[in-house]
Amino acid sequence: MPSSPSPLRGTEQRGTALVLGTYVLWGLFPLYFRLLAAADAVEIIGYRITFTALTCLSLVALTRGWGRVRAVLADPGQVLVLAVSGLLITLNWLTYVYGVNTGRAADAALGYFINPLVTVALAALVLGERLRRAQGVAIVLAVVAVVVTTRGQVPWISLALAVTFGLYGLVKNQARTDPLTGLTLESCLVLPLGAGYLAHLAATGASTLQGPQGSAVLAVLLVLAGPVTALPLLLFAAGARRVPLSTVGLVQYVSPIMQFLLAWLVLGEEISPSRWVSMVLIWVATAVFSVDLVVQMRSLPGGRRG
């Protein structure tokens, strides 16, 4: 008779489903943020910061996690790390929303394609980690792709997204906290910026909700920016603990693939010939990087991350 699946295998399958589901949700972000296009990017980020903080604080209260929050707040070094990471992710969010709502969702997708390569390059430059040959080849291909894309205009949205998220990852790795506590404090530390800006708009009558484009539907969509931001991150954290790093490394490309296809086929963005050439180069670089990652993970004991 067939043997029953092992608990370890079931755990890995659930983790893969969580991680894949998270990247699918992120892949749909261009459609969500286009619904908020009546507001400018800075105002949207004000709502995103404010209601992410409120969502996380509510989850901390439900899970009785105040002790973990107080423990981190008692360490000034950790507070500084989370403040810096909060500023970096805020810049990343702002760049992304601006790109999507100005008709450059394809540029945003390119940024997240090259982000893993930028992360590896930053680790080599900042942490002194040694690049493997395949990683070096992938990075060179990505650089060539960016040069091809440039054609007299630097793809600053793509580069800003890749660099801010790469730096965010480096800084966040210094944080000694669980995902919910970390996201709660990150969002709360930048909350004065987000909530302060919204208060300024309201006081001067410049809020989108006070203008002719304001509506109850738009208000609800802006408030949902908090849960839409927080919940996928927490789902990802829950799933990533259950699967090999190689799985996460491969599945991460689901999101930019979806975003690129949405930009091209749904949002109607024009993809120039030079952009197609650069995207093919990026896909080749991604394939080289991914194959190298799988080979390296399989060479570890048990073929899994530690």
Side-chain angles (χ1 to χ4, degrees), residues 26-48:
W26 282 333
L28 294 172
F29 266 18
L31 299 181
Y32 169 69
F33 285 112
R34 276 294 179 92
L35 296 176
L36 309 181
D40 67 33
V42 180
E43 185 176 4
I44 292 171
I45 295 307
Y47 280 99
R48 193 174 187 183

Side-chain angles (χ1 to χ4, degrees), residues 106-107 110 141-155 158 260 270-283:
D107 283 359
L110 176 62
L141 286 171
V143 171
V144 173
V146 170
V147 171
V148 169
T149 301
T150 300
R151 303 277 294 193
Q153 183 178 2
V154 176
S158 305
F260 180 79
E270 182 179 353
I271 312 297
S272 66
S274 63
R275 175 57 51 82
W276 279 115
V277 172
S278 68
M279 289 304 299
V280 169
L281 288 170
I282 287 295
W283 292 333

Side-chain angles (χ1 to χ4, degrees), residues 5 24 42 87 89 92 97 101 105 107 111 139-140 159 187 196 202 222 242 247 285 295:
V24 169
V42 180
L87 288 171
I89 199 62
N92 183 268
V97 172
N101 285 355
D107 283 359
I139 291 170
V140 169
L159 295 176
S187 55
L222 286 168
R242 296 174 167 86
T247 299
V295 170

